[in-house]
Amino acid sequence: MTSTRDAALHPSGAGCAVLRAAAGPSSTKDKPSLPEFILIVSVMLLVSVQSASAHPQCLDFEPPFKPPWHLEFCTQYEQFGCCDQKTDNMIAERYWDIIDQLEVAGYELCADMLKEVLCQECSPYAAHLYDAEDPYTPVRELPGLCFGYCSEFHAKCGHVVKYLTENQRLQETSARDVFTFCSVVDLSDQDYCYPNVLKSPDLNSHLGQVAEDRGGCLQLCLTEVANNLRNPVLMLHSGDDTHRMFIAEQVGFVWVYLRDGSRLEQPFLDLSGEVMTTPWLGDERGFLGMAFHPEYRGNGRFFIYYSIQVNSKLEKIRVSEMKVSAHDMNMADPYSERVILEIEEPAANHNGGQLLFGLDGYLYIFTGDGGKAGDPFGKYGNAQNKSALLGKVLRINVDGSDSSGKQYRIPPDNPFLGDPDARPEVYAYGVRNMWRCSVDRGDLVSRYGRGRIFCGDVGQNRYEEIDIIVKGGNYGWRAKEGFECYDMKLCHNSSLNDILPIFAYSHHVGKSVTGGYVYRGCESPNLNGLYIFGDFMSGRIMALEEDKSTGSWKERSVCMGDTKTCSFPGLINHHHKFIISFAEDEAGELYFLATAYPSAMSPFGTVFKFMDPSRRAPPGKCKQKPLPVKVRGKKIPFVPRELTVLDTNEKPTRPPPRKFKLATKPPVTSRPTTTTAASVTTAATSAAVKRITVDKKAREKNTLKPWKKNKVLNKQAANAQMRKTLRQKSKEQSKKATVRDKIKPIKTNQTASAELKSNALQTTNSLKDNTVHTRKIPQRKSARKQRNRIKSKEEYNAFVNETQTNLNVKTNKLKVKNK
């Protein structure tokens, strides 16, 4: 879209000299000569035409959105666009400020087109219309208008351009012929000029939906949140309204990250001396799980899951309870650890590691099958053996202990509580190595899906699977892997009664699933309800979408958006290959943790946050009010390392709207001797016209109410009704004033002044009774108007005093003569 003729639309920039040559002298009477005409056409033809691409953007270089409330002015963009109610009101104020400068005839001729042009800032393609996509050019001051529309605009509203911009080039070309002006205002890409942009089905058929490539892959973008981490295995929030995030490294450190992205210098927890891990690539042992108690804000309790080694030989997994320090909310009490459960591990792999609290308040513990390959432990393996704690989903009540000395109790509704061949802690079984599980928050409105537990279960040689955990469920391992049989004998056992996964994929897609979350956040509403997960080995990100009518799930491919899709400030479209874990913050936004080198000692771990560039929530909707965090130590600011698609130095920003100095009409000096009731009425009426509106407090009150269609006024009908009413009242007042002038004798200046105030008051009161509101009262008044009014008032008072003195002198002389 960058061209030499576009320079005239910008406050500054190259190309003005070429435009001056192309446009010719700035005389309003001259028309372009043949050489000038050829030059202008040549400039237009030399501009490269870009192909249409459905990628809407706003002037703040962010994606469009659906406004939370009804737009009162630019109503054509209230379903999807770039304006919230505040911006809509600002555009309306500017519109009425310009209308105030026009005569009634000019208003009727130009009002509709002027409104359309101003409202293009609300268009979902505003960035195209104003050339805000090109980071190397300033933002245009007028939107790109198609030639046919521009010709009509020039004929009707050419005199208004001086109120729309202070750009000298635009003002000069608007005073010339229509071809010169419209060749400057036009866009090189005719698909995007107004109103063509509204007619293209390719541009308008999928507004606000997630962008897809030709293969149907959902294009998402990322932002970098944290870096320089050593195999970050988990990130979670404490649920205490502070919106802090706790990131754990495999070596045993847990760090606190604040809302501003900074990290506290001192770790929340340091178990590096206790945790067993090695620098070997892919070693599954280490600090693996953590969960905050649902009442953490009040009791400060949290739970951890990590690998230990006893006497340099025996390996175990340990689940412990700890408490936050009584003196620092950002540090755990290192002496508060209370071991709840320990389980021996026969091999170094398949250590499980997930801890989470369900909506029932119980702690769920997810263990691996013990390691090696094919679950070779016992006749049926650990996973199918309900008397073993490996290969299971365990559920316990951590709020108390039982009489046998255990540091927990068994929930009374655990499914195998009465089975003598089963451990009472078992909630579900038949799992191989569930790596990363999550609890669905449920739909924000309907609460559908709330409480479901999703898990990714790592497969053996052929398939990876996603499961939804249910009480007492058997998930098939080692009899089955995914949907297929692994152990034929067990697979055909009629008593297996296993629960099939909701989704499985083969090893040509990925070889180690990493479970994720169902997106329930606010910032990317298009993603709501999608279960997003990934694969550790292939680095692939995937999504599942539920068919609620059948309960089945279908895959939605996810890929990183291309350069154009992710060309927003701070966004990136790449990530490290090895996806270790997914995370959800306190507001429901979704993240994942990945590393470029999967060693517990390598500092290449990075945390990425998902963002859908096709649709974001309205500005301000997702703002949080976190509780204050008392920081005692030093904070380390976040320094991003990943290269963004758009360098932040190239961010094309929309400059703050200038307050244009609109040309005011010359003040009319007050002449009381020639003042008539008709002129007084006309003056009062013109002054009252500017006051016909809803006051500021009323408008702010209305913006807080949701949109109700039956209460929306038709602006054009209201404006027409207002003008008709004012004209009728003005004619009636003029007729009455004429009759009074013919019948009544000449009044003194004091009487005329009193009648002026009375007529003005009557007119104002009659206008107050009019229920048609057209615009907001400008709270501010220019200093020039104030001075003119003060000056006129002083002159008028001086004149009245002088006239009164003369009358007194004449009266005294008359009395003397009579004597």
Side-chain angles (χ1 to χ4, degrees):
M1 270 187 272
T2 306
S3 66
T4 53
R5 61 190 174 81
D6 285 340
L9 290 162
H10 302 139
S12 61
C16 293
V18 177
L19 178 70
R20 186 190 300 272
S26 58
S27 171
T28 57
K29 297 180 180 180
D30 295 339
K31 294 185 177 180
S33 62
L34 181 60
E36 292 172 340
F37 178 82
I38 294 174
L39 178 58
I40 293 173
V41 174
S42 301
V43 170
M44 295 178 66
L45 293 177
L46 286 174
V47 177
S48 60
V49 179
Q50 302 175 354
S51 59
S53 178
H55 180 52
Q57 296 175 353
C58 301
L59 292 183
D60 60 358
F61 220 65
E62 296 284 347
F65 52 88
K66 178 178 176 60
W69 310 107
H70 166 65
L71 299 185
E72 296 182 0
F73 190 70
C74 301
T75 55
Q76 65 269 43
Y77 297 116
E78 65 187 4
Q79 291 300 320
F80 187 76
C82 293
C83 289
D84 56 9
Q85 208 163 19
K86 179 180 178 182
T87 307
D88 182 61
N89 289 343
M90 290 174 60
I91 294 173
E93 286 188 31
R94 188 180 177 197
Y95 170 82
W96 287 111
D97 286 340
I98 295 174
I99 290 297
D100 282 346
Q101 311 303 313
L102 306 179
E103 300 293 341
V104 174
Y107 165 77
E108 293 177 345
L109 182 68
C110 181
D112 293 340
M113 297 195 79
L114 174 62
K115 179 179 179 180
E116 287 182 357
V117 170
L118 288 175
C119 283
Q120 292 317 301
E121 288 193 23
C122 298
S123 167
Y125 287 100
H128 295 274
L129 291 166
Y130 289 87
D131 197 22
E133 286 189 310
D134 191 340
Y136 302 101
T137 61
V139 178
R140 294 162 58 118
E141 295 189 11
L142 285 181
L145 305 178
C146 303
F147 193 86
Y149 184 88
C150 176
S151 301
E152 185 181 359
F153 177 80
H154 182 269
K156 294 182 178 180
C157 302
H159 59 292
V160 176
V161 174
K162 62 183 177 181
Y163 302 127
L164 291 173
T165 176
E166 291 181 339
N167 187 300
Q168 193 65 29
R169 297 296 174 201
L170 280 174
Q171 293 185 7
E172 290 177 0
T173 54
S174 68
R176 293 175 60 86
D177 61 282
V178 61
F179 185 84
T180 303
F181 175 72
C182 292
S183 64
V184 173
V185 177
D186 198 10
L187 285 179
S188 59
D189 190 342
Q190 291 297 295
D191 288 311
Y192 283 107
C193 64
Y194 182 81
N196 285 3
V197 70
L198 302 178
K199 302 175 183 179
S200 171
D202 293 334
L203 296 178
N204 294 278
S205 59
H206 300 291
L207 283 177
Q209 299 180 13
V210 183
E212 298 184 21
D213 62 13
R214 293 182 178 179
C217 189
L218 303 179
Q219 297 191 56
L220 300 181
C221 305
L222 307 171
T223 56
E224 184 183 3
V225 174
N227 53 36
N228 199 35
L229 293 159
R230 293 162 294 185
N231 264 20
V233 292
L234 63 90
M235 182 174 84
L236 67 163
H237 62 87
S238 54
D240 58 358
D241 294 328
T242 62
H243 290 263
R244 294 172 294 171
M245 296 303 294
F246 297 78
I247 301 179
E249 296 175 315
Q250 188 175 353
V251 292
F253 287 93
V254 180
W255 305 95
V256 177
Y257 283 77
L258 303 179
R259 286 271 292 177
D260 61 3
S262 63
R263 190 194 82 182
L264 300 190
E265 184 179 36
Q266 296 297 323
F268 175 78
L269 180 63
D270 178 5
L271 284 180
S272 58
E274 297 288 332
V275 170
M276 180 190 179
T277 189
T278 70
W280 303 343
L281 290 181
D283 192 343
E284 299 178 19
R285 297 168 296 183
F287 189 96
L288 303 177
M290 184 174 173
F292 289 93
H293 193 280
E295 303 297 329
Y296 174 77
R297 183 174 176 180
N299 60 32
R301 300 166 64 197
F302 63 95
F303 299 82
I304 53 178
Y305 182 125
Y306 60 97
S307 303
I308 62 170
Q309 189 174 44
V310 181
N311 298 326
S312 301
K313 292 183 179 180
L314 183 63
E315 295 181 11
K316 294 183 178 182
I317 55 173
R318 174 183 287 173
V319 178
S320 295
E321 176 187 327
M322 295 191 72
K323 292 185 177 182
V324 70
S325 170
H327 308 288
D328 190 342
M329 67 184 301
N330 296 308
M331 291 188 70
D333 182 353
Y335 305 105
S336 64
E337 183 174 6
R338 181 172 65 95
V339 177
I340 291 180
L341 180 66
E342 288 185 348
I343 306 173
E344 292 186 14
E345 280 285 355
N349 59 342
H350 299 188
N351 291 270
Q354 182 72 52
L355 290 180
L356 58 82
F357 279 91
L359 295 184
D360 51 19
Y362 298 134
L363 179 65
Y364 290 75
I365 305 170
F366 298 79
T367 64
D369 65 4
K372 297 186 179 181
D375 192 7
F377 308 102
K379 184 177 180 180
Y380 307 111
N382 282 326
Q384 290 296 321
N385 181 7
K386 294 192 286 291
S387 65
L389 295 180
L390 294 174
K392 305 293 186 298
V393 179
L394 310 177
R395 183 174 73 157
I396 60 176
N397 183 355
V398 294
D399 295 330
S401 57
D402 67 4
S403 57
S404 64
K406 293 180 180 178
Q407 301 299 310
Y408 57 88
R409 292 183 293 181
I410 304 299
D413 62 338
N414 268 15
F416 306 108
L417 191 58
D419 188 346
D421 297 325
R423 291 287 297 264
E425 295 91 345
V426 175
Y427 184 79
Y429 64 106
V431 304
R432 184 175 182 271
N433 187 35
M434 286 189 163
W435 182 248
R436 294 305 170 239
C437 304
S438 63
V439 180
D440 186 2
R441 294 187 176 202
D443 184 82
L444 297 177
V445 178
S446 67
R447 315 306 287 173
Y448 176 82
R450 179 172 168 81
R452 295 181 299 187
I453 298 178
F454 289 78
C455 286
D457 198 3
V458 179
Q460 181 68 45
N461 298 322
R462 299 177 61 191
Y463 296 101
E464 307 295 310
E465 67 181 67
I466 301 295
D467 298 304
I468 296 180
I469 305 302
V470 297
K471 183 169 67 173
N474 178 7
Y475 290 88
W477 177 248
R478 73 181 183 191
K480 287 184 178 179
E481 180 187 9
F483 294 101
E484 305 295 328
C485 288
Y486 178 80
D487 185 318
M488 290 297 179
K489 186 175 181 180
L490 290 176
C491 184
H492 293 97
N493 190 328
S494 60
S495 64
L496 183 64
N497 193 27
D498 62 315
I499 295 176
L500 296 177
I502 62 171
F503 179 74
Y505 61 92
S506 66
H507 277 196
H508 76 275
V509 175
K511 297 182 179 180
S512 182
V513 67
T514 300
Y517 284 78
V518 178
Y519 181 81
R520 301 297 187 185
C522 172
E523 295 177 9
S524 300
N526 280 326
L527 305 183
N528 183 44
L530 289 181
Y531 176 74
I532 300 178
F533 63 103
D535 189 273
F536 174 81
M537 294 299 293
S538 67
R540 185 167 179 171
I541 297 175
M542 294 164 274
L544 299 178
E545 185 176 27
E546 182 182 14
D547 183 344
K548 296 179 182 178
S549 61
T550 63
S552 61
W553 295 77
K554 64 178 181 178
E555 182 183 6
R556 299 294 304 274
S557 297
V558 175
C559 51
M560 292 297 98
D562 56 26
T563 300
K564 186 174 183 180
T565 301
C566 297
S567 291
F568 296 102
L571 293 192
I572 57 181
N573 61 352
H574 63 275
H575 59 84
H576 301 321
K577 177 182 178 180
F578 300 100
I579 300 175
I580 303 174
S581 186
F582 284 76
E584 184 183 56
D585 66 16
E586 202 162 353
E589 300 305 322
L590 193 56
Y591 306 73
F592 71 95
L593 298 74
T595 184
Y597 191 75
S599 167
M601 306 302 177
S602 61
F604 299 110
T606 305
V607 180
F608 301 94
K609 178 182 178 181
F610 285 102
M611 180 194 169
D612 170 20
S614 302
R615 169 78 181 278
R616 64 179 171 123
K621 180 182 179 182
C622 301
K623 287 184 177 179
Q624 306 292 331
K625 294 182 179 179
L627 294 177
V629 177
K630 297 179 181 179
V631 178
R632 294 182 179 273
K634 182 180 178 182
K635 294 194 299 184
I636 300 174
F638 169 63
V639 179
R641 291 184 174 182
E642 303 299 320
L643 294 176
T644 59
V645 173
L646 179 72
D647 184 24
T648 52
N649 294 329
E650 299 174 358
K651 179 180 178 181
T653 56
R654 179 67 171 168
R658 294 194 301 271
K659 295 181 180 179
F660 294 100
K661 298 178 181 178
L662 302 173
T664 57
K665 299 175 183 177
V668 180
T669 56
S670 180
R671 297 182 180 179
T673 54
T674 60
T675 299
T676 63
S679 63
V680 170
T681 304
T682 303
T685 304
S686 62
V689 168
K690 297 181 181 181
R691 295 184 175 89
I692 303 176
T693 181
V694 183
D695 67 294
K696 186 172 183 179
K697 291 184 178 179
R699 168 171 286 182
E700 290 177 350
K701 183 177 181 181
N702 289 336
T703 60
L704 299 177
K705 296 180 178 180
W707 174 27
K708 295 183 179 179
K709 285 188 176 181
N710 58 349
K711 291 187 178 182
V712 179
L713 293 178
N714 187 313
K715 292 291 182 182
Q716 294 182 354
N719 292 340
Q721 182 180 352
M722 179 201 72
R723 290 194 295 270
K724 184 177 180 181
T725 303
L726 291 178
R727 287 171 184 165
Q728 290 177 351
K729 289 183 178 294
S730 179
K731 289 179 180 179
E732 292 174 3
Q733 294 284 358
S734 299
K735 290 179 180 179
K736 291 180 181 180
T738 304
V739 172
R740 285 197 297 269
D741 288 343
K742 290 180 179 180
I743 298 175
K744 296 183 180 180
I746 298 176
K747 301 176 181 177
T748 64
N749 288 313
Q750 290 178 343
T751 308
S753 176
E755 186 171 317
L756 184 149
K757 294 180 180 178
S758 176
N759 289 335
L761 184 60
Q762 291 176 4
T763 305
T764 304
N765 290 335
S766 65
L767 291 172
K768 284 182 179 178
D769 294 336
N770 192 342
T771 58
V772 179
H773 305 297
T774 59
R775 77 175 188 92
K776 182 180 179 180
I777 297 177
Q779 298 278 332
R780 57 190 185 281
K781 295 181 179 179
S782 65
R784 183 185 299 175
K785 288 184 178 181
Q786 290 280 31
R787 289 195 297 270
N788 289 339
R789 291 176 180 176
I790 293 172
K791 184 177 179 182
S792 299
K793 187 175 182 179
E794 291 176 350
E795 291 177 353
Y796 178 75
N797 291 335
F799 182 84
V800 171
N801 293 334
E802 183 180 355
T803 305
Q804 184 65 39
T805 303
N806 292 337
L807 289 174
N808 292 337
V809 171
K810 290 179 180 179
T811 302
N812 292 334
K813 288 182 179 179
L814 184 61
K815 289 180 179 179
V816 171
K817 286 182 180 181
N818 291 335
K819 288 181 179 179

